[in-house]
């Protein structure tokens, strides 16, 4: 915060940037689809679908809404945030299985 205030730097200039094919990527640039594709490419292998019943796989992903922390105590906020993190991990696994074990693309699975 002090760097932004004292140097007239923007927050974007202070956030870490990663070089990526086709340009630079920062936080919040709508690159979630790219990150999901990378995850699928890295983690999807022959063993990913072992024991998975493709017919029973639910690829209709239910995306959580935004958290509303208004009126919550600190402990309630921490619990809600933990639940959201768990749900995000479940969705990540669901996307991985659906993309690896069915003909679904990451683009089709994202909202």
């Amino acid at each position: 915060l002090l760097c932004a205030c004292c140097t007239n730097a923007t927050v974007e200039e202070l956030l870490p940037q990663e070089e990526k094919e086709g340009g630079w990527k920062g936080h919040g640039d709508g690159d979630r689809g790219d990150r999901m594709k990378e995850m699928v490419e890295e983690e999807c292998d022959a063993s990913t679908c072992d024991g998975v019943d493709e017919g029973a796989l639910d690829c209709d992903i239910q995306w959580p809404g935004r958290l509303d922390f208004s009126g919550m105590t600190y402990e309630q906020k921490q619990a809600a945030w933990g639940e959201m993190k768990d749900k995000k991990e479940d969705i990540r696994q669901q996307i991985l299985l659906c993309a690896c074990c069915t003909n679904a693309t990451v683009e089709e699975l994202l909202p």
Side-chain angles (χ1 to χ4, degrees):
L1 183 60
L2 290 177
C3 292
C5 294
C6 300
T7 65
N8 292 326
T10 66
V11 173
E12 289 78 18
E13 292 170 334
L14 298 172
L15 290 175
Q17 299 282 319
E18 296 177 26
E19 188 170 358
K20 184 174 176 156
E21 189 174 308
W24 289 89
K25 146 180 117 167
H27 296 281
D29 288 341
D31 57 350
R32 181 179 59 195
D34 291 340
R35 289 192 313 262
M36 290 289 182
K37 286 180 203 172
E38 289 171 9
M39 175 200 66
V40 168
E41 289 172 8
E42 290 173 6
E43 297 184 29
C44 188
D45 60 27
S47 66
T48 303
C49 299
D50 286 351
V52 174
D53 179 2
E54 294 175 27
L57 194 58
D58 180 12
C59 294
D60 182 24
I61 297 172
Q62 301 301 311
W63 295 91
R66 287 190 168 270
L67 286 177
D68 181 9
F69 291 118
S70 59
M72 287 187 182
T73 65
Y74 177 78
E75 290 79 17
Q76 291 169 326
K77 290 176 186 178
Q78 293 293 85
W81 186 249
E83 289 173 18
M84 177 65 80
K85 286 174 58 177
D86 291 344
K87 181 148 183 104
K88 285 174 69 174
E89 180 58 27
D90 291 345
I91 289 172
R92 180 185 165 281
Q93 289 301 314
Q94 190 176 9
I95 289 172
L96 179 65
L97 290 176
C98 289
C100 293
C101 305
T102 70
N103 290 328
T105 65
V106 171
E107 290 85 0
E108 293 170 335
L109 298 170
L110 295 177

